Structure formats: C-alpha cells, structure tokens
Amino acid sequence: MSATRRTLRRAVTVTAVTAASVLAAAGVAAAHVTVHPESYAKGATDGVLTFRVPNEEDTAATTKVQVFLPTDHPVLGVLVTPHDGWTAKVTTSKLKAPVKTDDGTITEAASEITWTGGKIGAGQFEDFDVAFGQLPEDTGQLTFKTLQTYSDGKVVRWIEEAQSGDDEPENPAPTLKLTAADDASAAAAPATKTGGKTTTETAGSSDSTARGLGIAGLIVGALGLAAAAFAVVRTRGARS
C-alpha cells in the first residue's frame, strides 16, 4: 500500500472514531431526566414545572416515574396534570419547620409524586406537568431526585447532585435554579407541551448540550478530512 493511501486511511479512521465518540456523548447527555424551565424566581407563585422523562433503553419501556420533592425547602400547593394512561399519586409529609404564608401556616407539603400505568417506548419521552402554588424564598436551587423504572425491572436513579467546579455526574438529579425575584430573565422558556401524550420525537431533540456536541462532532470530522487532504497533497508534492 502506498504512503499516500496509508496516510489517508489513518486520517479517516481517526476522524471517524473521534466523531463517533463525540456523537455518542451527545446521546448520553440527551437521555437525562430534566425539569423545565431551568429557573424560576424565588417565591414565585402559581407556576408549572415540567419533568421531561426520556426513555434511554432500546428493549424496555419506562413504566414508573417517581419524583421526590424537597421538604427542607418545600414546594407548596402541588397539583398534577392528568396524563392519558398514567395514574399519579401525590404523597405528603409533615414539615420539620412549618411555613407561614398569607393563607396561614403550612405544616405539610408534597414530598413525592409517582406516575404509574403508562409506558414510554424506545426513542420517546413524556412530559409530566406539576403546578405549584408557591416556591420557597430561602434557597438558591431545588433538587428533585427521580427514580425511573423500566419494564424489565431496571431502575435508573437520577439522584446525583453536581458539585461546584466538577463535571456533570453520570445520573444527575433534575435541578431548578431559584433567582432573585426582581430578575426579569429568571424563568426560562417553558418546555414544549405535548398535551400529556407520549411523542415519538427522539429524546435528544431539545437538549442544547446534545446539539452542541453533535455540531462539535461534525467540525471534528471536517477538520480530519481537511488534514487528510493536506497530507495527500504534501506527499504528492514530495514525490514530484
């Protein structure tokens, strides 16, 4: 095999492997359970949180979703939106520290929401909407640890909290940032509504990180091919 062909084949192989790795990472990033919008103002009232649950398995369906709400900084007035095929159960717990509101003192709040009975198939996701009466004012973020159960018995625990300065954990818990009440840009655009029905849109379609990684993979591929072409030209020039 000529030096030119060996150089070209080596460049193409490296490019393919690198691009595949980047795109694979994009798929992983898109498979996380997330909460939308990504932020709200502290003490916000009468809003909606959407928990987006993608199916990351090829041979099993998601059959149960459990979202745990913090009780040290409780979300008050929780109500769930009905979803076709799904049954929602809201569990309340007694608060260690009662919360005083304009309507009186609150001693109990929702601590867990469990959805069962429905199915999220491969390449699909489901949006679960939760309305709230008021968000807490005394914290900068809320973490909603989530358990996702599949039809084959597998349970994915989305419970890991990212530490400042560290990379995102493998199974991050959905996290809502709470910003100053006077921050006009506190709340991000709400998640696209699907009417409570499962959609066949792939899980990564709305994940900005995944899109960025996908673009990066294309750029890497283009640079690799350019390098290969340059190597061919240089080799031919050396022979002439």
Side-chain angles (χ1 to χ4, degrees):
M1 182 182 293
S2 68
T4 298
R5 290 185 178 179
R6 285 197 299 270
T7 301
L8 181 57
R9 175 171 293 184
R10 187 179 301 113
V12 171
T13 300
V14 172
T15 299
V17 171
T18 304
S21 299
V22 173
L23 292 175
V28 172
H32 298 166
V33 174
T34 53
V35 61
H36 303 272
E38 296 179 350
S39 65
Y40 253 116
K42 293 181 178 180
T45 58
D46 300 326
V48 175
L49 297 175
T50 299
F51 293 91
R52 175 159 292 180
V53 182
N55 190 323
E56 59 177 7
E57 295 292 320
D58 295 329
T59 59
T62 295
T63 56
K64 183 179 180 180
V65 177
Q66 296 166 270
V67 175
F68 297 88
L69 287 71
T71 54
D72 52 347
H73 303 288
V75 178
L76 305 181
V78 167
L79 296 172
V80 295
T81 299
H83 291 267
D84 291 344
W86 293 90
T87 299
K89 178 183 177 181
V90 180
T91 301
T92 59
S93 298
K94 189 175 184 62
L95 301 176
K96 292 182 179 180
V99 179
K100 293 182 178 181
T101 69
D102 293 339
D103 298 323
T105 300
I106 306 298
T107 59
E108 292 186 347
S111 57
E112 179 185 345
I113 306 174
T114 301
W115 287 273
T116 56
K119 289 185 178 181
I120 308 174
Q124 300 178 335
F125 69 85
E126 185 89 25
D127 281 345
F128 296 94
D129 294 337
V130 177
F132 62 83
Q134 183 176 342
L135 296 178
E137 301 178 346
D138 57 351
T139 185
Q141 70 177 30
L142 296 175
T143 299
F144 301 96
K145 295 182 179 182
T146 302
L147 301 184
Q148 181 178 10
T149 302
Y150 286 89
S151 55
D152 61 0
K154 178 180 179 180
V155 178
V156 180
R157 301 168 61 84
W158 302 101
I159 62 173
E160 299 175 7
E161 299 183 43
Q163 302 298 321
S164 179
D166 291 344
D167 294 334
E168 185 179 57
E170 182 177 356
N171 294 316
T175 301
L176 177 72
K177 295 180 180 179
L178 297 180
T179 62
D182 59 352
D183 186 351
S185 61
T192 301
K193 302 302 179 185
T194 59
K197 297 181 180 180
T198 302
T199 175
T200 56
E201 180 181 350
T202 57
S205 62
S206 63
D207 193 288
S208 58
T209 301
R211 287 197 302 268
L213 288 172
I215 293 172
L218 294 177
I219 293 175
V220 169
L223 291 176
L225 292 176
F230 176 77
V232 171
V233 172
R234 185 176 61 180
T235 302
R236 289 178 176 175
R239 289 182 172 182
S240 61

